[in-house]
Structure formats: C-alpha cells, structure tokens
Amino acid sequence: MSAQDIKEGIQYALAFATAGAGTSFSIKAFIPLPAIDAVPQALIIKTMTHQIGQVYGYSNLKGLTAFAGILTGSGSGMKVASELASGLPIAGAGANAATSFALHMTTGISLIIVFELIQQQVITAEYIRNTTTSDITFLLGLASQILADVLRGNDGVEATLAAVAKFKVPSTISA
C-alpha cells in the first residue's frame, strides 16, 4: 500500500468528478432534458476507472468496467432524483452537476479502496466479479465518508486508510 498511490488515485477521482460535473452542468444548462448527459458521464467514469486502475496496475483487471458500472448504478439514485430539477433554469443544471460530482467521486474512491485491499491481499481480484449488494452498499458508504472528509479539507489519504481498515472481508471471497 502506498500513500502516493492513494493520493494519485484521489487526484484522478477529483479531476474526473470535476469533469463530470462540468459536463453535466454544460449539457443541462443548454439542453434541460432528463438523462441527456448519460453517455458522456458513462465515458468519463470508464476513463476514470482505467486511469485509477493504471495507478495500481489493475487497469486490465477482468470485470473492472462492469464493477465500476455496478458502483455507479448503485449510487445513481441521487442522480435520478436530480433529473427532476432538470427543467429549472440554472438550478436544475446545478443539481445535476453536484450529483454527478458526488457519483463520480464515490465510484472513484470505491475503486481506490478495492485496489488497496487487493494490494494488501485482504481480498482477491475475484472480488470485483463476485460482490454482493451488501458489499456494494458498505463500500459506497465508506466512499461517502471519505468524500465528506475530503470536502471538509481533511487528508484524503488518511481518510482512505481509515476506511480500508474498516472494510469487512466477505467470508466467501477472502484471500
């Protein structure tokens, strides 16, 4: 485990989350239709997944893109809710930008947690292909805590290490 890997992963997540938020705002400000930004958001998350995977040497991990899709889909309820505001000038675009940012960040941070756990041999690479709903829920909860810490100005590396330490190893998928 490397603090530098975590820091670099968080920087990528922040950069791609900002890009996702900006894309969402730009599109929604000019074309306030529900889900009009879905394809660009999916491409941004796919690229972010690959970049964070490269930091850890897992960019070609079998099932990685699908796992990122599951993470994103599981956390997308807030994005769907923000679509209700799409028709409101500026406020709708702002709501979509904020939820896009949060969705990208929780997905990116979840990937960082999983990659850290694989490096520590707490879980195997098979984990990403065999996660349960409760695993995803717990993982997104940890990622949300880290995101809150990062947004408060706390050290993202320390917050990530604390979350990794809290991770509950699934009994059927442990290393």
Side-chain angles (χ1 to χ4, degrees):
M1 162 173 46
S2 163
Q4 183 59 34
D5 288 347
I6 294 171
K7 185 175 181 179
E8 191 174 342
I10 290 172
Q11 288 171 342
Y12 272 120
L14 280 167
F16 282 101
T18 302
T23 299
S24 183
F25 184 85
S26 298
I27 292 171
K28 294 289 188 167
F30 295 104
I31 310 169
L33 297 174
I36 191 88
D37 61 342
V39 171
Q41 297 299 333
L43 292 173
I44 290 168
I45 286 176
K46 184 176 183 332
T47 305
M48 176 185 69
T49 299
H50 179 73
Q51 291 297 324
I52 294 172
Q54 272 190 318
V55 169
Y56 286 91
Y58 298 125
S59 62
N60 293 321
L61 196 61
K62 188 175 180 181
L64 181 58
T65 301
F67 180 69
I70 290 168
L71 287 168
T72 304
S74 296
S76 65
M78 62 183 167
K79 182 70 172 141
V80 171
S82 74
E83 292 294 334
L84 297 174
S86 287
L88 301 174
I90 305 302
N96 277 280
T99 56
S100 291
F101 179 84
L103 187 59
H104 284 72
M105 280 300 293
T106 54
T107 299
I109 291 169
S110 295
L111 291 168
I112 293 166
I113 293 168
V114 168
F115 293 152
E116 285 291 319
L117 291 165
I118 292 171
Q119 280 189 343
Q120 292 178 22
Q121 298 180 344
V122 172
I123 60 174
T124 66
E126 289 294 311
Y127 174 82
I128 67 168
R129 291 195 313 251
N130 298 308
T131 54
T132 65
T133 304
S134 60
D135 293 334
I136 294 293
T137 301
F138 184 72
L139 191 56
L140 288 171
L142 290 175
S144 297
Q145 291 171 359
I146 295 168
L147 174 57
D149 283 343
V150 168
L151 293 176
R152 286 185 200 111
N154 297 333
D155 184 10
V157 173
E158 287 180 20
T160 303
L161 291 173
V164 167
K166 289 180 190 175
F167 188 81
K168 296 174 185 166
V169 180
S171 59
T172 58
I173 307 173
S174 61

